[in-house]
Amino acid sequence: MKIKNIMIVFMAISLLLTGCNGTAKAQADTQAEDTDAEANEVKEASREIFAMDTYMTLTAYGDNAEQAVEEAASEIERLDALLSTGDENSEILAINENGGGELSADTAVLIERSIEIYEKTQGAFNIAVYPIMEAWGFTTQEYKVPSEQTLQELLKLTDASKINYDDEAHTVSFEQEGMKIDLGGIAKGYTSNRVMDIFREWDIDSGMVNLGGNVQVLGEKTDGTQWRVAIQSPDDSGDYLGVLSTQDKAVITSGGYERYFEEDGVIYHHIIDPVTGYPAENGLTSVTIVSADGTMADGLSTSLFVMGKEQAIAFWRENSDEFDTILLADDGSLYVTEGIADRFTSDIDFQIIEK
Ligand code: ADP
Ligand code: MG
């Protein structure tokens, strides 16, 4: 084989730029210079789509990049239609209307994982909070502050231990009438996992997906260096909390800034504390989870946000082999767990959490 003089300059930076309305922008700058026109450089394919209420970017490198990105985009659209509570033909909507039903393979996995995370987080992650989401208007964007009495009534419908999932028949039923579920806290992580699966099936060994601030990367960049994922600051400054160098990981962030409304000077956001029925205010403004398992990372980003700093750190210490985390407290202090501390850079002085 002829040795070619190839110079490939490749940069890919994935930036999490998440707006307050739940939208986000990813940026993957690529630049290839080839001194030999016939050189067989790495093929790149990239696609931007709007699904699951957010902007998404998919990028793959390799011979089958085009097909991989195409199939992944179709998969995202399929999952969106299946899982969205806002889609009148979605499986979740039907289950909520009928108090249960038969589940397709994806929904079965998601409900099973959601129950597992519910138990593991002692209820911080709770897909049965949907009636509360409705009461606050997060499902229709007709926002309102519900009365304390309304919340107390609705909290009776949010006992996730009353979601009966049959893992053999792949059915679910709710023990109580009026219960409803919402996979919004976990669906995007599952989706980014699926994208990685599809990329692998097409023999892609370098790629990334950004689903509205939820990033998952496959392998390293094509130049053999790690992906650099910037984590957005929860204030509107457009700054970053820092940048994480990583490979083969999901980097998923939850923050109250992603979807909220303001009434009488108070901000109400979309992550509900299942104990109170109010938006979780437990001292954290942003939680990033880093894990090879996107589904778990998404579920835990919501969970640790609900838990607050002390409990989140204790939870990490018990499960440090499964994930790492970056926590921003509302006093501005930043905490990074030891598994990723040497790969995280920030202008803010951060404290390393050790086991
Ligand atoms: P985002 O979807 O903005 O990235 P999250 O992953 O934190 O943020 O998910 C927030 C969504 O999860 C809410 O919009 C709602 O659908 C759902 N949700 C809210 N509170 C909880 C909770 N305590 N447990 C599970 N899901 C929740
Ligand atoms: Mg989540």
Side-chain angles (χ1 to χ4, degrees):
M1 209 206 278
K2 198 173 98 187
I3 298 170
K4 291 167 181 165
N5 178 19
I6 303 171
M7 188 180 79
I8 298 174
V9 181
F10 166 70
M11 298 171 2
I13 305 168
S14 140
L15 303 178
L16 315 188
L17 299 167
T18 309
C20 66
N21 56 355
T23 58
K25 240 169 78 187
Q27 211 171 286
D29 296 326
T30 56
Q31 181 186 324
E33 261 178 42
D34 194 345
T35 51
D36 182 339
E38 302 212 340
N40 195 13
E41 68 184 62
V42 182
K43 282 188 197 153
E44 177 201 337
S46 199
R47 202 49 204 270
E48 293 205 8
I49 54 174
F50 187 83
M52 300 184 175
D53 245 359
T54 199
Y55 291 97
M56 306 185 168
T57 311
L58 300 160
T59 309
Y61 298 91
D63 288 347
N64 304 321
E66 201 63 57
Q67 298 97 310
V69 163
E70 200 57 41
E71 189 180 326
S74 311
E75 176 68 351
I76 291 172
E77 275 153 16
R78 185 185 72 82
L79 290 171
D80 189 14
L82 186 74
L83 303 172
S84 162
T85 47
D87 190 319
E88 47 181 81
N89 297 314
S90 89
E91 194 171 315
I92 298 303
L93 201 81
I95 288 167
N96 284 343
E97 276 174 5
N98 303 326
E102 233 175 279
L103 305 175
S104 64
D106 300 284
T107 315
V109 170
L110 275 164
I111 291 181
E112 192 171 2
R113 300 285 324 258
S114 295
I115 293 171
E116 185 190 308
I117 298 171
Y118 165 75
E119 287 165 356
K120 198 168 169 151
T121 63
Q122 293 173 328
F125 189 76
N126 182 341
I127 56 171
V129 295
Y130 195 65
I132 307 266
M133 292 295 290
E134 287 183 312
W136 286 95
F138 285 113
T139 55
T140 53
Q141 289 175 21
E142 286 162 22
Y143 303 120
K144 57 190 173 292
V145 179
S147 70
E148 183 63 43
Q149 194 191 348
T150 303
L151 289 177
Q152 288 309 320
E153 281 305 309
L154 292 175
L155 279 172
K156 295 177 188 158
L157 299 174
T158 62
D159 182 350
S161 69
K162 292 185 174 159
I163 300 170
N164 294 323
Y165 168 68
D166 184 329
D167 65 351
E168 272 169 25
H170 283 178
T171 56
V172 73
S173 63
F174 305 147
E175 262 173 53
Q176 227 173 328
E177 212 182 302
M179 285 179 72
K180 289 180 180 180
I181 58 166
D182 168 16
L183 300 175
I186 195 169
K188 277 186 248 158
Y190 177 74
T191 303
S192 59
N193 258 359
R194 285 289 305 130
V195 170
M196 298 295 111
D197 290 345
I198 290 167
F199 281 7
R200 274 187 220 101
E201 282 159 23
W202 283 102
D203 285 332
I204 300 297
D205 44 34
S206 176
M208 75 108 188
V209 57
N210 185 341
L211 312 182
N214 292 341
V215 172
Q216 194 160 348
V217 298
L218 181 65
E220 299 175 319
K221 294 193 292 180
T222 51
D223 65 359
T225 62
Q226 296 204 314
W227 294 92
R228 287 164 54 76
V229 179
I231 291 142
Q232 195 212 349
S233 173
D235 58 37
D236 278 340
S237 62
D239 290 344
Y240 298 101
L241 279 186
V243 176
L244 180 73
S245 295
T246 192
Q247 64 190 74
D248 290 314
K249 290 275 177 4
V251 182
I252 292 187
T253 301
S254 281
Y257 59 91
E258 292 195 28
R259 194 180 296 271
Y260 64 82
F261 69 97
E262 198 174 329
E263 195 176 295
D264 297 332
V266 183
I267 285 175
Y268 300 97
H269 62 73
H270 71 143
I271 301 175
I272 301 297
D273 186 334
V275 174
T276 63
Y278 280 87
E281 295 294 349
N282 297 320
L284 291 175
T285 48
S286 173
V287 173
T288 301
I289 305 287
V290 182
S291 169
D293 177 352
T295 313
M296 189 183 69
D298 196 0
L300 291 185
S301 71
T302 311
S303 310
L304 269 63
F305 187 92
V306 170
M307 287 178 190
K309 189 185 96 189
E310 301 306 328
Q311 227 185 304
I313 291 173
F315 184 85
W316 172 75
R317 288 202 171 109
E318 284 163 28
N319 300 281
S320 57
D321 50 334
E322 291 183 70
F323 74 97
D324 274 287
T325 182
I326 300 163
L327 307 171
L328 181 70
D330 50 17
D331 64 3
S333 52
L334 185 62
Y335 304 85
V336 180
T337 55
E338 64 178 6
I340 49 170
D342 58 348
R343 274 167 275 156
F344 181 71
T345 53
S346 175
D347 290 341
I348 310 168
D349 278 334
F350 58 86
Q351 199 176 311
I352 299 172
I353 308 293
E354 287 166 356
K355 290 177 201 165

